[in-house]
Amino acid sequence: MSLQPDRLGAVTTHPRSPPRRTEAYEDLFAQAPVIFAALSGPSHLLQAANPAFFEAFGGGPAQTGTPIGELIPELGPQGVLGRLDAVYRTGTTFRARGARLVLGAPGREREGFFDFTYEPRRDAVGEVDGVIVIAVDTTVHHHAQLLAAEQRILLEQIARDAPLGSILTGMARAIEDLSPDLIVSVLLADPGGRQLRHGTGPSLPAFYNEAIDGIPIGADVGSCGTAAYLRVPVIATDIATDHRWEDYREVAARAGLAACWSTPILGTDDRLLGTFAMYHRAPKAPEEKDLALSAAFARIAALAIERHRALEAGRAAQEREREAREDLAFVLDASTAITREPHYADCLQRLARLTVPTLAPLCSVHVQEDGRTRRIAVAAASPAEEDLLASPVLAGHVDRAVARVLASGATETGHPAAPPGDRPGLPGLPGVTGYVSVPLATLGRTFGVLTLLATDRPLDGHAVALAEELARRAASSADNAHQFSDRVQLARDLQAGLRPPQLPRIPGADLAAYYHPAGEGLEVGGDFYDVFPLPDDRWAFMIGDVCGRGALAANTTGMVRHTARAAARLLHDPADVVAAINDALTGSPLDEEHFVSLVYGELRHAGSHLALELIRAGHVPPLVRRADGTVEHLVQSGLLLGIGPEFHGASCRLDLAPGDSLVLVTDGITEARSATGEFFDEHRLTDALFALPGTASGAAGLIEAVHAAVTAFAGRSTPDDQAALVLTAT
């Protein structure tokens, strides 16, 4: 309210009698939209007033001549009479903007806002004899401003993505503040469009909000259910007599509700979003302004609900995207980890471990081999779950499910139902709330079953789908691992057949050997060694390397060993034996690139020492480690075998006293590379042998020293086979 006192001069220069002035006032203000009243004397008798005055303040023309304080007693406590007294006494005009007045008898009060001018009225001699009141009713404008401000606040909250409940409740309270005789409620349509759920109703009793939460959308279901069904406003001026309120009349009466006007809230696509209802405590029909207010706030509610649903849809989409990324990451990480396991059993054990507890707290994997089914892997989230799987009853149930899945090739699930109040469980299996058995299949053949068991809650479709996808990927990896394991075992079996199963015992000599295949040993390598007896208490020994790997290398190795064993019994010169091996290689249909490096020798016991004669054909030079720790290189050389029709090479004779050792290695040892690409070479091999103390190590100690030195230098993984043979005189 703004107060603007203003000293005015005389309003008339000619005396007029009161009747004549009253007539003039009536002529001037009778049809004016402004409120006019002429008050006379210090008691402010109502001398004249226009219809707008009586419409705003009540009463009628018959009440003229009555003091204004008696006519409108509620003005006194609000300071109006005191202000009239001041204007009458001082002759000073008083103006007030947006003054608030509460009018009406107790129980029927109404709020109004006015722009007032209180102007002193003067007689012919200039004395104040009354007060002229001119006012403009600004209630509608004031309410419109408040309404616009509330709407702006609500729109700002919608733009800031405030919670829907806060927006709707704020809207309801704003309307109720503007119109204290109204009670506001908002109901929201459920996703299926069949029910209305509680949105807000801050001034309604809790029992009433609960009673209408979930009401069906249909004809004759109160005002709101009907409005949602018909998609038009529904007005019940008297709930007590309206047939649409038959099922809700009693609860409405308990809540003190007598009238209800409901407007459907429709989205931009004409989809039903909910209803906006205004209640009255007395039977009443809505005025035009009430319908406009309802329509305006229904539109705001629609904006808030649509914004909320869009945000919820966005968050749901983000959550689905996040879950999809997590699922994909889990499947990719798990399948990658499974693929890295080269061996069949390890692959399936890794599969079981990865599913726990991400998919379920308990997992087992069964495979079918040679017509029999066996459990190959198991994983549990805790010892309690592991004990549960050990139960014969549960094991039997799983075995039967596995048998069915192996036969059908289809996933089997168990989702037990639980009586109300009970924890769900499989019949006869307390503690197990569900299971899924997924086939492990490849190339149209089911070879195993992945079984997940839940102990806290039933397995949902999401877990089943992940299990099926993981099983599909793991089945391929497991099948590859199975083939890999078979090939490794085959290679090991073949490789073992190309080496002596164990080294023989030679009087006066201590023997030790070492063989390490390249990589996983998937293919048969070309490195070999052999020791075998000869006539006349002689022994033959050899170590060699066939170029290449695989079946052809194995065939070549077998040819060399068998030729050597046959020729050595007939020929007494190592050079002749090596020449016979060369003849066999060059005369065979093998690829010419499969040449062979070889050290072949023979030994006999000569009293206090061992006498050796050996020949080298393109192989790593033999080393002799003497008992005093010194190391010698035998550098006599001959050509590689298998590259020409004739072999030329010279034998080397050597005596080994007790403690002396002959060390033979393949180039997989001398050519082992460090991380920087350096070769281990013969010098580092010499250093490893020289560093050993005394003769206490024997042949096995020398082998261990060579292996440790190479591993420390190049690591355990090697691109080439490694073999070594050590002969120590005793």
Side-chain angles (χ1 to χ4, degrees):
M1 177 188 296
S2 60
L3 305 179
Q4 299 180 1
D6 187 14
R7 176 71 65 179
L8 299 180
V11 296
T12 180
T13 58
H14 300 285
R16 292 174 180 265
S17 65
R20 293 287 298 165
R21 280 196 283 181
T22 299
E23 294 173 1
Y25 293 150
E26 291 175 349
D27 292 342
L28 180 62
F29 293 103
Q31 304 302 319
V34 299
I35 297 169
F36 167 79
L39 308 178
S40 65
S43 59
H44 311 303
L45 299 177
L46 180 64
Q47 181 180 351
N50 65 350
F53 174 88
F54 294 114
E55 182 179 349
F57 295 97
Q63 294 174 307
T64 55
T66 304
I68 193 72
E70 295 179 12
L71 182 63
I72 313 173
E74 60 265 30
L75 296 181
Q78 299 180 72
V80 175
L81 298 182
R83 182 58 59 188
L84 292 173
D85 290 342
V87 172
Y88 184 84
R89 185 178 63 255
T90 64
T92 301
T93 298
F94 175 81
R95 294 186 175 90
R97 300 289 184 185
R100 176 180 179 271
L101 291 179
V102 178
L103 305 172
R108 300 181 62 185
E109 296 94 339
R110 58 185 177 83
E111 183 182 57
F113 292 86
F114 304 88
D115 289 345
F116 280 114
T117 297
Y118 300 157
E119 182 177 313
R121 189 185 65 178
R122 299 178 185 273
D123 59 16
V125 296
E127 295 294 329
V128 176
D129 66 352
V131 177
I132 301 298
V133 178
I134 301 174
V136 177
D137 189 343
T138 61
T139 303
V140 174
H141 175 69
H142 178 79
H143 283 178
Q145 286 184 316
L146 292 178
L147 181 62
E150 293 295 343
Q151 289 177 323
R152 184 172 60 253
I153 292 171
L154 293 173
L155 292 174
E156 289 175 354
Q157 289 180 326
I158 294 172
R160 292 198 306 268
D161 298 330
L164 178 62
S166 299
I167 296 174
L168 296 180
T169 299
M171 180 182 70
R173 293 196 182 281
I175 297 171
E176 292 170 352
D177 288 343
L178 292 173
S179 302
D181 54 340
L182 287 179
I183 302 173
V184 176
S185 168
V186 176
L187 298 178
L188 303 176
D190 70 352
R194 294 183 175 87
Q195 292 179 311
L196 294 173
R197 306 309 303 261
H198 175 72
T200 190
S203 298
L204 289 170
F207 72 84
Y208 185 80
N209 283 327
E210 292 174 3
I212 64 173
D213 183 16
I215 65 170
I217 295 174
D220 300 333
V221 184
S223 297
C224 294
T226 307
Y229 179 73
L230 299 176
R231 294 174 176 250
V232 295
V234 172
I235 299 171
T237 58
D238 188 352
I239 291 175
T241 60
D242 195 302
H243 71 279
R244 291 167 296 199
W245 278 84
E246 182 177 353
D247 294 336
Y248 301 94
R249 190 170 293 142
E250 181 180 348
V251 70
R254 284 180 56 204
L257 306 175
C260 178
W261 317 327
S262 183
T263 302
I265 302 173
L266 302 177
T268 53
D269 57 355
D270 203 38
R271 180 177 51 174
L272 178 69
L273 302 177
T275 58
F276 175 87
M278 297 192 295
Y279 293 89
H280 273 273
R281 296 195 180 279
K284 184 177 181 181
E287 300 177 9
E288 191 66 31
K289 65 177 183 178
D290 297 322
L291 297 177
L293 184 68
S294 178
F297 277 95
R299 288 193 294 271
I300 292 178
L303 288 175
I305 296 169
E306 286 193 312
R307 179 68 172 175
H308 171 74
R309 290 190 175 182
L311 291 174
E312 287 294 305
R315 280 192 282 265
Q318 290 177 349
E319 181 64 18
R320 289 193 299 271
E321 182 181 355
R322 182 189 64 79
E323 291 178 351
R325 286 198 304 268
E326 290 180 352
D327 290 346
L328 180 60
F330 167 72
V331 171
L332 289 177
D333 291 346
S335 57
T336 299
I338 292 169
T339 302
R340 287 175 179 166
E341 295 291 347
H343 300 291
Y344 184 59
D346 294 340
C347 179
L348 295 177
Q349 183 61 54
R350 176 61 68 92
L351 168 64
R353 287 199 301 268
L354 288 170
T355 60
V356 174
T358 304
L359 299 183
L362 197 55
C363 174
S364 67
V365 179
H366 290 72
V367 295
Q368 191 174 54
E369 295 175 332
D370 301 326
R372 299 180 61 185
T373 302
R374 67 184 180 95
R375 191 175 73 185
I376 195 172
V378 63
S382 69
E385 272 88 6
E386 192 168 356
D387 293 341
L388 185 63
L389 190 58
S391 163
V393 177
L394 179 58
H397 183 93
V398 172
D399 289 344
R400 289 188 291 275
V402 167
R404 290 191 294 270
V405 173
L406 286 172
S408 66
T411 298
E412 178 177 305
T413 59
H415 300 288
D422 291 346
R423 185 176 179 180
L426 288 172
L429 295 174
V432 177
T433 58
Y435 75 91
V436 59
S437 292
V438 182
L440 297 170
T442 181
L443 301 176
R445 178 181 64 90
T446 301
F447 66 86
V449 177
L450 168 70
T451 299
L452 303 177
L453 297 108
T455 58
D456 51 354
R457 64 184 185 279
L459 292 168
D460 56 18
H462 176 253
V464 172
L466 280 180
E468 289 180 326
E469 178 62 21
L470 186 59
R472 184 183 66 80
R473 294 169 178 256
S476 178
S477 299
D479 185 62
N480 292 336
H482 197 290
Q483 296 182 39
F484 178 86
S485 298
D486 288 346
R487 292 178 63 186
V488 168
Q489 188 59 46
L490 178 60
R492 287 175 178 171
D493 292 343
L494 288 174
Q495 193 75 55
L498 299 176
R499 300 192 307 273
Q502 61 182 11
L503 294 174
R505 293 181 177 273
I506 300 177
D510 178 24
L511 297 178
Y514 161 72
Y515 177 79
H516 179 68
E520 293 288 339
L522 185 60
E523 292 184 309
V524 180
D527 289 13
F528 64 93
Y529 59 86
D530 199 2
V531 180
F532 53 90
L534 296 175
D536 304 326
D537 294 328
R538 294 179 299 124
W539 292 84
F541 60 89
M542 62 180 175
I543 189 169
D545 186 1
V546 176
C547 176
R549 303 180 62 78
L552 194 55
N555 193 14
T556 303
T557 299
M559 178 188 295
V560 171
R561 290 187 64 218
H562 294 313
T563 300
R565 282 177 172 259
R569 290 183 174 276
L570 302 175
L571 305 173
H572 297 283
D573 186 347
D576 294 337
V577 175
V578 174
I581 295 172
N582 188 67
D583 290 342
L585 290 172
T586 56
S588 72
L590 299 178
D591 191 321
E592 64 180 3
E593 292 185 358
H594 279 72
F595 49 83
V596 177
S597 69
L598 181 71
V599 171
Y600 173 81
E602 297 177 1
L603 69 85
R604 59 184 176 81
H605 196 274
S608 61
H609 65 278
L610 295 178
L612 285 70
E613 184 177 0
L614 55 94
I615 187 168
R616 172 175 168 245
H619 198 74
V620 178
L623 300 179
V624 177
R625 183 186 185 279
R626 299 296 180 180
D628 61 2
T630 58
V631 179
E632 303 170 4
H633 289 242
L634 303 180
V635 297
Q636 290 87 348
S637 180
L639 296 176
L640 291 170
L641 304 181
I643 62 174
E646 295 185 2
F647 172 76
H648 300 284
S651 298
C652 172
R653 296 181 183 275
L654 174 68
D655 291 335
L656 295 181
D660 294 344
S661 300
L662 175 67
V663 179
L664 305 173
V665 300
T666 60
D667 60 6
I669 289 178
T670 56
E671 294 181 4
R673 291 179 181 268
S674 67
T676 59
E678 292 183 89
F679 285 127
F680 183 69
D681 66 36
E682 290 89 348
H683 299 294
R684 289 186 174 86
L685 177 60
T686 299
D687 293 342
L689 297 175
F690 183 76
L692 287 174
T695 60
S697 299
L702 293 177
I703 286 290
E704 184 178 349
V706 171
H707 174 59
V710 174
T711 301
F713 180 79
R716 294 186 178 277
S717 179
T718 173
D720 198 3
D721 300 332
Q722 296 177 356
L725 177 64
V726 175
L727 187 154
T728 301
T730 58

